[in-house]
Amino acid sequence: MSVNQWELGPEIYHFRYKEADTNTKINGPMYGLAGSFTHHNPNHMMFKMDGHTNWGEMEYSSTDVGRMTGVDDYTLEIRAVGGYEIQSNDDWILTPFLGAGYRYLSENSFGRSSSGGVAGRQLEFNYFYSPLGVELTTQIDDNWKLGFCVEYDIFWNGEQKDHREELDPSTDTTLYEQNRGYGVRGSIKLQKKGEEYDILIEPFIRWWSIKESQDTDIISGGVVIDNDFLAKNNTLELGGKISAIF
């Protein structure tokens, strides 16, 4: 028999972005919502769509730029995965899975200035990747389930936009291409059965390591005025969510 499940709830995590060579750091709490739809069919196949959207105010610091607070960050992530459920009696279920994912991050400091007198602007990050992982779920008793999920994210491509035109209309938006990197993530899931819906508590960790971008031209008034690249960077998201499953 086919089974469909919906999941929805609040999510909170600490965000930390760091560039290896430039001493640039971005830190702060992120708040948002996470949800998913999962279909289980009689042939032990699992199909899942999930996503989350979050927002927060970050603190930016850099040796060259100085310090800036109140930087608006917004994220959106959407994924689709499929897997095969390997079941042992009713005690545990092991589900390897593979899919496709998209991650978007906007960092907007336009209208603000750093302690070093540098004016802020908007940056946009786009990641395209494939999640590859495995989830193990076990029935503790009639009311409780325990699950573990580990995942490796195959990074295919990243495009970053630096909106320099916000500070100088004659300057084009700078586009950076990144095609090397990876992500890893893991979570622990504790699920309690309820009369109308189940409650899920899920602490998690997400990690991205992205290599430096290709060199790109900075163009102003149709003329190349400089050449730049994005430094190697990593991103850590450490937090948790509480969801209703129905």
Side-chain angles (χ1 to χ4, degrees):
M1 182 179 69
S2 296
V3 176
N4 296 324
Q5 287 184 329
W6 294 88
E7 179 185 329
L8 182 65
E11 176 179 282
I12 182 173
Y13 61 85
H14 180 78
F15 176 91
R16 189 204 70 186
Y17 171 91
K18 183 178 181 181
E19 292 183 359
D21 302 328
T22 65
N23 202 32
T24 296
K25 298 178 183 178
I26 304 172
N27 290 278
M30 296 286 283
Y31 310 92
L33 290 172
S36 69
F37 169 77
T38 307
H39 172 76
H40 306 267
N41 72 23
N43 298 319
H44 304 287
M45 297 299 297
M46 178 276 294
F47 301 96
K48 184 176 183 179
M49 291 282 298
D50 68 85
H52 61 91
T53 180
N54 308 82
W55 54 92
E57 290 190 350
M58 303 290 112
E59 178 180 329
Y60 177 99
S61 63
S62 171
T63 303
D64 297 332
V65 174
R67 181 173 173 268
M68 184 187 301
T69 59
V71 177
D72 294 324
D73 268 32
Y74 168 76
T75 63
L76 173 67
E77 190 165 6
I78 302 173
R79 300 144 47 90
V81 301
Y84 183 77
E85 298 176 330
I86 305 169
Q87 188 165 354
S88 171
N89 299 322
D90 289 327
D91 295 334
W92 56 262
I93 300 175
L94 183 69
T95 310
F97 59 85
L98 175 67
Y102 167 71
R103 179 177 182 267
Y104 170 81
L105 168 66
S106 170
E107 175 198 315
N108 193 350
S109 59
F110 181 66
R112 296 179 179 273
S113 296
S114 71
S115 59
V118 177
R121 57 186 184 267
Q122 184 184 18
L123 302 174
E124 295 181 280
F125 299 78
N126 298 273
Y127 292 174
F128 299 90
Y129 67 95
S130 289
L132 172 65
V134 62
E135 182 171 351
L136 175 66
T137 303
T138 183
Q139 191 78 40
I140 299 176
D141 57 31
D142 292 340
N143 295 314
W144 292 91
K145 290 182 181 179
L146 180 64
F148 303 91
C149 186
V150 292
E151 176 183 311
Y152 179 83
D153 294 323
I154 305 168
F155 183 77
W156 296 114
N157 180 259
E159 181 185 75
Q160 282 66 48
K161 297 180 181 181
D162 185 343
H163 289 275
R164 298 174 185 266
E165 77 281 2
E166 293 179 340
L167 303 180
D168 182 359
S170 66
T171 303
D172 295 351
T173 299
T174 305
L175 299 179
Y176 300 92
E177 291 289 335
Q178 291 176 294
N179 51 29
R180 296 180 300 154
Y182 67 92
V184 293
R185 62 185 70 192
S187 66
I188 301 173
K189 302 181 179 184
L190 187 62
Q191 182 175 334
K192 185 182 187 303
K193 184 178 180 180
E195 294 184 2
E196 297 184 3
Y197 54 86
D198 292 358
I199 295 296
L200 176 69
I201 301 173
E202 183 178 358
F204 60 78
I205 183 171
R206 305 173 186 140
W207 169 266
W208 287 100
S209 178
I210 308 298
K211 301 295 185 180
E212 69 180 41
S213 73
Q214 301 176 10
D215 289 349
T216 188
D217 292 333
I218 300 175
I219 300 174
S220 180
V223 178
V224 176
I225 61 172
D226 203 352
N227 188 269
D228 197 12
F229 68 94
L230 283 181
K232 177 182 177 182
N233 61 80
N234 58 66
T235 301
L236 173 67
E237 298 174 353
L238 182 63
K241 62 181 179 179
I242 300 177
S243 305
I245 300 177
F246 49 92

